[in-house]
Amino acid sequence: MNPRPAILMLPDETAKFRVRDLGVAYGGTPALRHVTINLPDRQITALIGPSGCGKSTFLRCLNRMNDLILTARIAGKVLLDEQEILGNQIDPVELRKRVGMVFQRPNPFPMSVYDNIAYGPRRHGIRARGTLDQLVEQALVQAALWDEVKDKLRQSALDLSGGQQQRLCIARCLAVQPEVILMDEPSSALDPISTFKIEELLLELKAQYTIVIVTHNMYQASRVADYTGFFLTGDLIEFGPTVEIFERPVDQRTDDYVRGRFG
């Protein structure tokens, strides 16, 4: 029986993203080196590794947030379905509509709950009140927040709890009807109960969306992710089914990390 490869290459036809020889440097300092991977459609992929290992840099390549960093230099290819996203063939604004992002700390806009959710659709030209009402309710239902805020839609989003604010940010992402949701440590600033709600939500959302999540929480990755990638000093060391990564890793460095020997 052949041993499992450290980096499992999923079939192209099952992949939402196909990444080939991706490299990123900031001001000449390498942050990511020669990453080649297929990310599965409508599954949860967790990216793990110590701070500064390249996992957030990789995540930001998937919706070109690194374009906003003047010193960033990017090489390689990233295909979303069949479309190359790193070149001039795609508008970054349109890309970020397809590939939404939720950040580490909740960042609601200083406006009402309703206007937070309606912000994205309005920017993309939707003005009809009935359509906006429908999109706002649908996004809040999907984010498991509707029952908690349906009577507070005109109140400031800043009055919500931290956990509610993070689910509001997820709803804001969902309101523009993306295909992919990127999450950069979405529950690191939350209490355990709010974290559990976010994890439950992720498991529900993966039926409709491709989800890629960066997390330092090993238990979280093992609970929610279908696949896990381990990064170290800018290299993708191992990628495969989460149960394999945590229970039967191929690379000794992966084994050392998931067992808490460093990081």
Side-chain angles (χ1 to χ4, degrees):
M1 182 177 180
N2 293 327
R4 176 173 64 86
I7 299 175
L8 175 68
M9 284 300 294
L10 297 171
D12 285 355
E13 59 268 21
T14 70
K16 188 65 176 176
F17 285 101
R18 288 181 283 153
V19 180
R20 298 293 181 266
D21 201 29
L22 180 66
V24 180
Y26 299 120
T29 301
L32 210 61
R33 287 186 289 265
H34 305 295
V35 174
T36 293
I37 188 176
N38 282 351
L39 298 178
D41 190 19
R42 297 196 185 187
Q43 301 279 285
I44 300 175
T45 298
L47 308 178
I48 63 172
S51 297
C53 67
K55 54 190 185 296
S56 291
T57 292
F58 177 83
L59 192 76
R60 291 194 298 267
C61 287
L62 301 180
N63 73 342
R64 290 183 53 173
M65 290 295 289
N66 285 321
D67 287 14
L68 306 177
I69 302 173
L70 295 179
T71 60
R73 297 293 179 267
I74 304 169
K77 296 180 67 175
V78 179
L79 279 74
L80 172 60
D81 295 325
E82 299 299 324
Q83 186 171 20
E84 168 62 65
I85 68 171
L86 296 183
N88 296 325
Q89 309 95 310
I90 190 168
D91 179 352
V93 175
E94 286 302 311
L95 173 64
R96 292 174 196 138
K97 181 177 183 292
R98 296 175 64 190
V99 185
M101 193 163 194
V102 177
F103 297 93
Q104 181 174 3
R105 293 189 176 277
N107 60 340
F109 301 143
M111 54 183 68
S112 71
V113 170
Y114 183 98
D115 287 335
N116 262 269
I117 309 303
Y119 180 84
R122 283 172 173 152
R123 282 201 66 188
H124 290 283
I126 297 175
R127 296 286 184 268
R129 182 55 182 269
T131 303
L132 288 172
D133 287 350
Q134 183 178 3
L135 287 171
V136 168
E137 180 175 348
Q138 177 181 308
L140 288 168
V141 168
Q142 283 184 292
L145 192 58
W146 174 252
D147 288 341
E148 297 171 44
V149 302
K150 62 185 178 183
D151 298 322
K152 305 176 183 178
L153 295 180
R154 297 302 168 188
Q155 295 182 22
S156 171
L158 301 179
D159 293 337
L160 300 177
S161 70
Q164 289 175 324
Q165 287 184 11
Q166 192 64 307
R167 281 183 284 146
L168 177 80
C169 293
I170 294 172
R172 192 172 66 200
C173 173
L174 295 174
V176 297
Q177 300 177 322
E179 301 165 34
V180 180
I181 305 171
L182 310 178
M183 297 187 168
D184 197 352
E185 298 191 60
S187 60
S188 65
L190 304 181
D191 61 86
I193 292 175
S194 296
T195 296
F196 177 73
K197 288 183 178 181
I198 294 291
E199 291 177 4
E200 278 195 320
L201 176 58
L202 294 182
L203 292 172
E204 293 175 8
L205 290 175
K206 78 170 185 178
Q208 295 177 258
Y209 305 94
T210 299
I211 300 173
V212 187
I213 177 173
V214 165
T215 181
H216 275 106
N217 187 326
M218 297 296 97
Y219 295 109
Q220 181 172 78
S222 64
R223 284 192 297 261
V224 305
D226 301 287
Y227 291 87
T228 294
F230 169 55
F231 284 82
L232 185 64
T233 59
D235 296 311
L236 176 63
I237 303 299
E238 191 160 348
F239 174 79
T242 296
V243 66
E244 298 283 342
I245 297 296
F246 281 91
E247 296 182 8
R248 294 174 292 278
V250 171
D251 194 288
Q252 185 61 48
R253 292 166 294 181
T254 309
D255 189 66
D256 289 343
Y257 182 75
V258 300
R259 302 193 194 293
R261 298 187 186 114
F262 74 94

